[in-house]
């Protein structure tokens, strides 16, 4: 942050032939779906980057212009812009979307019209600044996607970014609007949005693993002991988060509270260097919590250095006030306070609350400025470290912060911290919807306090279901308040919850190759890793109904967010499955799509469905460190009706320049009862040696019973399949065969028996239900499923149990 060129906005002009200019107004056609309209009485039109806008240089679209008096009609293949040439008004600025939207009306916009979040008819919502103190649902800000086919971004009050990375106000007030009109073409709308505001960045592999966090005054030895117990339980974590008690909190009341701090509490951490080194040896990265609001005070180790750098007399003991609008302060803040801690081994800064919403620069949100400057500094420091060590990191942009959402464009500064939620079922029930809907503004990397933060209830089932959702979330960060009864260690819960939680935490680390691939796709193709079903099926009305289901890459997750039935010990969640065939990755049950499905699951299972013809690539060993691609991989294969499946694995290219190695995976069934498989590298792929296993779900080996990869029991949670481990192979060019396999006979009778056996109902009802099931099984399920359900209903089988049996008989 030098002082050179601080008043020169960073240029981001549009194509020279894309603008139409009149007296005090300018219209820019950025794409057939995206137009910018500006009004400024002084003709101070902005061509530089703003807090929101990164780029306006789109390919020049085809458009026509017709003038009438002082007005103009601009037309693309998709939009008609009618403007009277005067200061913007509802009568004078009108844009019509000419392509079909999700609803047959409401696709005309007039200036000043309120954008309302209404998933049935209007805007589908974006996200919110925080969930602090929320018990259940929170109100969402508008997003880019809408049922009526358009959205409007008002960038009028956005500040300008300068060439040296600072910000300056606009020269004069005016109006600066971006109109997105896309009908139901959501993919194109988001592509335009990312082109305009910047791509979703890559994040480092380690961030995709499990994070351990707790608001608790850990000591060095207590934390080491905790990690040792996690190791004994074979529960992996890749990020260690230390809340505010890492620093001195007991300060002289004359200088304020202990929330802000940058000096290690030596009573708890007598040797921070040794402590951080130990965490790194365990393959963990370290995040420290900071509340910058109180500035740098006299008790801090960095105080005299900071005071001297800012020309203050350190002998006076006067505080160095926090001022995010001062380049001099922020330079000292990073260089003299944060960088020395990073040199000790701190990897990620968790930027917490209390800075307020106002600064000395009108319109500048201190949260946005902190996120922006911290993330940019983290990227610069990563480059410095790579140059010093002469080694490659995961990518030049593989840096992260942890902080709250600060408005549109915040997707450029991952990761989001959603705040301190209340520990209730209602809060859990809101988070899947909240997480997926954030993809409507490109905010792909929310991190929640998994398990809930404070108050609410201590409930074993709730904690376990929340953790399962966390495993299938963007970031899985366990966190809790300073309560002796709120900690999230799995061994604090009774069996079977402890074992279930531990296995799911292991499975999260096995998902990292799949998640990393999905992340790369989001960076390159604007397809969010976690997104609502309507992103891919915008014209299907049912895709908008069950708001808690979402795509997890190519998988569909259907989180369970309500308690189980006391009779069946099964919990229910509902979803609409898109057309095609789908297989639950845990149970192996197959479903035909294009319909609504009620899923019933015991505590140890969670509905996650893979598309027919898909492949997901997992790490075979959950305990491998996440700093590098895993040595052993397992491809979980779901053959389609034609007997084929295809998948992609993307890994870091290894050159430190952000390149990718892509491996295309194909699997097919052969007439002789064998399964063939081939993997080929493409693009910048390099030779990649690994131990490879292929597991084909729905099949089994003739000489074994559902073989397993031996590394980790969390793979045993998965649906059984025919398995072959090939030993060391080169993914850049591999071809192999699984011999001696056949289609697995997955008995419906067995699954229904397990449901009945688990249920706590009258034995006579159980026995009568089982007799009905066996009788219909002998006749053949293809012709008798419906009549079986009717007989069970007549027999008095209660609704939850009947629903669970109906799911098996689909």
């Amino acid at each position: 942050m030098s002082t050179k060129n601080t008043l020169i906005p960073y240029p981001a002009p549009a194509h020279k032939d894309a603008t139409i200019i009149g007296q005090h107004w300018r219209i820019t056609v950025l794409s057939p779906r995206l137009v910018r309209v500006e009004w400024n009485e002084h003709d101070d039109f902005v061509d530089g980057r703003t807090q929101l806008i990164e780029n306006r240089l789109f390919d020049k679209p085809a458009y026509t212009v017709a003038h009438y008096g002082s007005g103009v009609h601009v037309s693309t293949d998709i939009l008609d812009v009618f403007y009277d040439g005067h200061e913007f008004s509802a009568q004078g600025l009108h844009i019509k979307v000419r392509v079909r939207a999700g609803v047959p009306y409401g696709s005309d916009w007039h200036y000043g019209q309120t954008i309302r979040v209404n998933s049935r008819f209007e805007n589908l919502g974006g996200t919110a600044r925080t969930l602090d103190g929320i018990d259940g649902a929170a109100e969402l800000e508008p997003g880019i996607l809408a049922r009526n086919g358009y959205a409007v971004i008002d960038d009028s009050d956005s500040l300008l970014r300068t060439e040296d990375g600072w910000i300056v106000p606009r020269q004069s007030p005016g109006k600066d609007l971006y109109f997105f009109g896309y009908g139901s073409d959501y993919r194109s709308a988001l592509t335009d949005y990312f082109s305009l505001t910047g791509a979703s960045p890559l994040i480092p592999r380690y961030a995709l693993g499990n994070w351990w966090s707790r608001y608790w005054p850990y000591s060095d030895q207590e934390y080491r002991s905790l990690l040792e117990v996690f190791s004994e339980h074979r529960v992996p974590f890749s990020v260690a988060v230390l809340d505010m008690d890492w620093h001195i909190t007991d300060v002289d009341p004359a200088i304020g509270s202990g929330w802000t701090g940058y000096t290690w509490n030596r009573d708890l951490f007598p040797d921070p260097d040794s402590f951080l080194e130990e965490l790194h040896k365990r393959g963990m990265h370290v995040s420290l919590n900071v509340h910058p609001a109180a500035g740098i005070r006299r008790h801090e180790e960095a105080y005299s250095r900071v005071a001297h750098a800012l020309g203050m007399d350190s002998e006076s003991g006067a505080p160095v006030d926090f001022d995010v609008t001062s380049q001099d302060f922020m330079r000292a803040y990073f260089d003299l306070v944060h960088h020395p801690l990073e040199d000790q081994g701190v990897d990620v800064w968790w930027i917490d609350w209390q800075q307020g919403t106002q600064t000395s620069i009108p319109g500048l949100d201190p949260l946005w400025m902190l996120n922006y400057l911290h993330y940019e500094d983290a990227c610069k420091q990563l480059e410095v470290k790579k140059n010093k060590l002469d080694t490659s990191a995961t990518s030049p942009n593989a840096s992260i912060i942890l902080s709250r959402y600060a408005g549109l464009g915040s997707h450029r500064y991952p990761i989001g911290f959603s705040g301190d939620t209340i520990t209730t079922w209602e809060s859990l029930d809101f988070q899947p919807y909240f997480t997926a809907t954030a993809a409507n503004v490109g905010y792909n990397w929310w991190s929640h306090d998994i398990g809930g933060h404070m108050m609410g209830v201590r409930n074993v089932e709730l904690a376990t279901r929340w953790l399962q959702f966390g495993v299938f979330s963007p970031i899985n960060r366990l966190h809790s308040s300073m309560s002796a009864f709120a900690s999230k260690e799995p061994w604090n819960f009774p069996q079977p919850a402890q074992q279930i939680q531990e296995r799911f935490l292991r499975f999260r680390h096995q998902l990292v190759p799949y998640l990393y691939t999905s992340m790369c796709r989001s960076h390159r193709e604007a397809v969010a890793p976690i997104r609502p079903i309507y992103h891919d099926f915008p014209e299907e009305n049912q895709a908008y109904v069950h708001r808690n289901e979402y795509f997890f890459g190519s998988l569909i997750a259907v989180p369970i967010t309500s308690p189980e039935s006391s009779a069946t010990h099964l919990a229910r969640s509902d979803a609409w499955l898109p057309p095609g065939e789908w297989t639950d990755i845990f149970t192996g049950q197959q479903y035909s799509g294009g319909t609504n499905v009620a899923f019933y699951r015991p505590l140890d299972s969670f509905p996650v469905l893979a598309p027919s013809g898909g492949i997901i690539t997992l790490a075979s060993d959950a305990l491998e460190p996440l700093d590098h691609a895993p040595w052993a991989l397992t491809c979980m294969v779901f053959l389609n009706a034609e007997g084929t499946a295809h998948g992609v694995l993307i890994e870091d290219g290894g050159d430190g320049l952000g390149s990718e190695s892509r491996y295309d995976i194909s699997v097919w069934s052969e007439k002789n009862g064998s399964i063939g498989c081939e993997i080929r590298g493409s693009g910048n792929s390099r030779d990649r040696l690994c131990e490879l296993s292929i597991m084909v779900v729905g099949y089994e080996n003739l000489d074994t019973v559902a073989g397993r990869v031996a590394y980790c029991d969390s793979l045993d949670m998965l649906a059984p399949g025919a398995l072959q481990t090939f030993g060391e192979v080169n993914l850049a060019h591999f071809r192999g065969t699984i011999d001696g396999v056949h289609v697995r006979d997955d008995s419906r009778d067995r699954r229904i028996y397990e449901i009945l056996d688990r249920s706590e109902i009258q034995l006579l009802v159980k026995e009568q239900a089982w007799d009905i099931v066996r009788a219909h099984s002998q006749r053949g399920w293809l012709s008798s499923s419906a009549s079986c359900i009717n007989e069970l209903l007549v027999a008095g089988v209660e609704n939850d149990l009947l629903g669970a049996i109906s799911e098996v008989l689909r």
Side-chain angles (χ1 to χ4, degrees):
M1 290 177 294
S2 68
T3 56
K4 180 181 178 182
N5 294 330
T6 57
L7 298 180
I8 301 177
Y10 199 111
H15 193 286
K16 62 183 179 64
D17 296 325
T19 59
I20 307 103
I21 302 176
Q23 186 176 11
H24 307 320
W25 61 265
R26 182 169 69 168
I27 296 175
T28 306
V29 183
L30 295 169
S31 84
R33 296 166 297 274
L34 175 59
V35 296
R36 180 191 190 192
V37 291
E38 298 168 272
W39 169 269
N40 189 287
E41 290 185 356
H42 304 282
D43 294 330
D44 291 328
F45 301 120
V46 169
D47 286 322
R49 291 185 183 179
T50 70
Q51 289 176 279
L52 173 61
I53 306 302
E54 283 278 306
N55 167 66
R56 301 184 188 90
L57 190 58
F58 289 55
D59 293 336
K60 178 180 176 294
Y63 67 91
T64 61
V65 181
H67 293 272
Y68 56 94
S70 61
V72 66
H73 171 201
V74 180
S75 179
T76 73
D77 291 341
I78 296 173
L79 303 177
D80 282 307
V81 181
F82 302 94
Y83 173 50
D84 65 2
H86 300 292
E87 188 170 359
F88 292 167
S89 66
Q91 296 75 32
L93 178 58
H94 167 214
I95 303 179
K96 179 180 177 63
V97 181
R98 288 194 277 114
V99 294
R100 178 184 174 189
V103 292
Y105 46 83
S107 293
D108 287 9
W109 173 79
H110 293 263
Y111 174 76
Q113 189 170 323
T114 301
I115 303 294
R116 297 183 300 180
V117 175
N118 179 332
S119 60
R120 191 173 179 190
F121 301 116
E122 298 178 75
N123 195 278
L124 290 161
T127 193
R129 187 179 180 97
T130 181
L131 297 181
D132 279 301
I134 295 294
D135 184 0
E139 186 175 346
L140 301 185
E141 299 171 8
I144 303 302
L145 307 185
R147 297 299 308 272
N148 54 2
Y150 72 83
V152 181
I153 292 177
D154 188 345
D155 199 40
S156 305
D157 297 326
S158 185
L159 303 174
L160 308 183
R161 285 182 284 159
T162 61
E163 288 186 336
D164 72 331
W166 203 244
I167 51 93
V168 293
R170 295 178 182 236
Q171 292 184 2
S172 60
K175 289 297 179 182
D176 189 356
L177 308 179
Y178 292 83
F179 182 91
F180 294 77
Y182 42 78
S184 58
D185 188 359
Y186 295 163
R187 183 68 53 80
S188 293
L190 289 169
T191 297
D192 281 354
Y193 176 71
F194 283 120
S195 295
L196 182 70
T197 62
S200 176
L202 297 174
I203 66 174
R205 283 178 58 87
Y206 71 77
L208 300 174
N210 298 316
W211 298 41
W212 177 257
S213 178
R214 186 185 181 192
Y215 181 26
W216 190 258
Y218 285 112
S219 69
D220 175 313
Q221 289 304 314
E222 186 180 5
Y223 209 96
R224 292 179 194 240
S225 298
L226 172 68
L227 296 181
E228 192 58 39
V229 179
F230 276 126
S231 180
E232 291 169 1
H233 284 257
R234 297 169 56 248
V235 176
F237 283 90
S238 58
V239 181
V241 183
L242 297 179
D243 212 318
M244 59 180 286
D245 288 285
W246 72 270
H247 63 72
I248 295 171
T249 58
D250 185 11
V251 302
D252 183 348
I255 64 172
S257 76
W259 284 91
T260 298
Y262 302 96
T263 302
W264 285 96
N265 183 338
R266 302 285 173 163
D267 292 334
L268 297 177
F269 298 94
D271 187 352
D273 296 82
S274 171
F275 174 72
L276 295 172
E277 182 180 5
E278 170 68 17
L279 266 58
H280 288 148
K281 284 181 179 178
R282 290 178 175 271
M284 300 182 74
H285 293 252
V286 182
S287 175
L288 298 187
N289 172 279
V290 289
H291 294 79
I296 315 300
R297 294 168 293 174
R298 64 175 183 255
H299 70 284
E300 303 285 7
E301 291 178 356
Y303 173 72
S304 60
R305 298 193 301 271
V306 172
H308 177 74
L310 297 176
M312 295 176 58
D313 178 11
S314 61
E315 295 298 321
S316 71
V320 180
D321 292 332
F322 172 77
D323 186 358
V324 76
T325 68
S326 165
Q327 285 185 280
D328 289 336
F329 173 80
M330 293 308 295
R331 186 181 302 106
Y333 173 85
F334 286 118
D335 292 347
L336 303 178
V337 181
H338 289 76
H339 293 171
L341 290 165
E342 291 168 20
D343 291 340
Q344 281 187 304
V346 177
D347 301 293
V348 179
W349 292 107
W350 172 12
I351 307 153
D352 216 336
W353 231 199
Q354 299 181 343
Q355 289 71 245
T357 58
Q358 303 296 321
T359 67
S360 60
I361 298 178
L364 178 62
D365 180 354
L367 174 62
W368 181 90
M369 193 65 165
L370 277 168
N371 291 354
Y372 168 56
L373 294 178
H374 262 282
Y375 183 76
E376 292 296 314
D377 184 74
C379 291
K380 291 174 186 175
Q381 290 305 108
L382 179 60
E383 290 299 313
V384 169
K385 289 179 181 179
K386 289 197 302 183
N387 293 334
K388 280 184 179 178
L389 299 175
D390 191 26
T391 187
S392 296
T394 52
S395 85
N397 287 326
S399 297
I400 52 174
I401 60 173
L402 182 64
S403 187
R404 289 170 175 81
Y405 175 77
L408 292 176
S410 291
H411 68 274
R412 296 193 300 265
Y413 317 120
I415 291 167
F417 164 53
S418 65
D420 302 343
T421 51
I422 308 301
T423 308
T424 61
W425 284 103
E426 289 77 15
S427 292
L428 170 59
D429 185 55
F430 179 65
Q431 284 193 3
Y433 164 73
F434 178 77
T435 306
T437 304
N440 293 348
V441 290
Y443 202 67
N444 297 338
W445 299 106
W446 265 126
S447 169
H448 306 301
D449 289 3
I450 294 301
H453 180 74
M454 60 187 181
M455 297 185 287
V457 297
R458 175 73 165 180
N459 181 284
V460 174
E461 183 188 5
L462 171 62
T464 305
R465 291 303 189 192
W466 213 322
L467 184 142
Q468 290 168 336
F469 163 65
V471 168
F472 289 93
S473 297
I475 302 295
N476 187 34
R477 181 181 52 83
L478 280 65
H479 187 60
S480 58
S481 65
M482 194 181 289
S483 167
F485 305 104
S487 191
K488 303 299 195 307
E489 295 93 337
W491 54 83
N492 285 339
F493 297 91
Q495 297 290 10
Q498 174 189 337
Q499 182 185 50
I500 294 167
Q501 291 184 22
E502 290 178 354
R503 296 178 84 180
F504 270 88
L505 287 168
R506 284 192 281 273
F507 188 60
R508 172 67 183 205
H509 275 229
Q510 293 176 285
L511 279 167
V512 168
Y514 174 78
L515 270 170
Y516 191 88
T517 298
S518 298
M519 175 193 65
C520 291
R521 189 182 179 202
S522 75
H523 178 66
R524 306 294 186 202
E525 303 175 32
V527 178
I530 285 80
R531 61 194 185 277
I533 301 299
Y534 55 73
H535 274 220
D536 294 44
F537 296 91
E539 296 187 359
E540 293 280 359
N541 286 328
Q542 288 298 313
Y544 301 84
V545 173
H546 302 289
R547 70 180 199 171
N548 271 2
E549 66 169 319
Y550 55 86
F551 275 108
F552 185 78
S554 61
L555 303 173
I556 289 179
V558 191
I560 293 173
T561 60
S562 58
E564 67 180 26
S565 159
S566 59
T568 64
H569 296 293
L570 300 174
R572 172 177 172 169
S573 58
D574 295 87
W576 174 78
L577 293 184
E581 299 298 313
W582 299 85
T583 302
D584 190 309
I585 70 170
F586 294 118
T587 68
Q589 178 159 345
Q590 295 181 334
Y591 303 82
S592 293
T595 188
N596 293 298
V597 179
F599 298 94
Y600 295 83
R601 295 293 182 271
L603 190 60
D604 64 355
S605 192
F606 187 82
V608 179
L609 297 106
S612 176
I615 298 173
I616 61 174
T617 303
L618 307 170
S620 304
D621 182 1
L623 304 183
E624 268 200 85
L626 297 185
D627 280 328
H628 55 77
W631 159 246
L633 293 170
T634 297
C635 293
M636 193 176 185
V637 179
F638 303 86
L639 295 177
N640 59 22
E642 290 72 40
T644 63
H646 301 280
V648 172
L649 171 68
I650 300 176
E651 296 180 338
D652 168 48
D655 58 4
L657 300 175
S659 67
E660 298 171 352
S661 291
R662 174 187 169 113
Y663 304 96
D664 293 289
I665 308 166
S666 297
V667 178
W668 62 91
S669 60
E670 298 182 338
K671 293 181 180 179
N672 61 2
S674 299
I675 302 288
C677 48
E678 182 178 52
I679 304 177
R680 288 287 180 265
S682 61
N684 295 319
S685 336
R686 55 196 171 95
D687 285 349
R688 161 79 158 94
L689 300 180
C690 76
E691 180 176 278
L692 178 67
S693 298
I694 304 289
M695 184 170 70
V696 185
V697 175
Y699 287 72
E700 64 182 355
N701 303 82
L702 290 174
D703 56 348
T704 64
V705 178
R708 290 283 181 234
V709 177
Y711 284 119
C712 189
D713 67 343
S714 58
L715 281 174
D716 288 336
M717 298 191 305
L718 299 176
L723 175 71
Q724 177 72 48
T725 298
F726 292 94
E728 183 180 287
V729 305
N730 187 347
L731 291 183
H733 40 81
F734 165 76
R735 191 178 182 95
T737 302
I738 307 175
D739 295 316
V741 300
H742 65 94
V743 175
R744 179 181 175 83
D745 180 16
D746 192 12
S747 169
R748 289 179 173 180
D749 299 30
R750 175 185 56 79
R751 284 184 279 159
I752 294 174
Y753 177 84
E754 291 172 353
I755 291 170
L756 288 170
D757 187 46
R758 182 184 296 110
S759 299
E760 296 187 24
I761 59 175
Q762 293 183 0
L763 283 174
L764 288 177
V765 176
K766 273 193 185 189
E767 290 164 357
Q768 186 176 1
W770 181 234
D771 288 341
I772 292 170
V773 167
R774 284 190 299 173
H776 282 274
S777 175
Q778 291 170 3
R779 297 176 210 160
W781 287 119
L782 189 62
S783 59
S784 63
S785 293
S787 59
C788 177
I789 295 298
N790 288 333
E791 287 188 40
L792 291 170
L793 183 63
V794 171
V797 174
E798 60 98 27
N799 287 339
D800 284 336
L801 180 56
L802 189 65
I805 295 173
S806 298
E807 181 191 353
V808 174
L809 296 180
R810 290 183 61 85

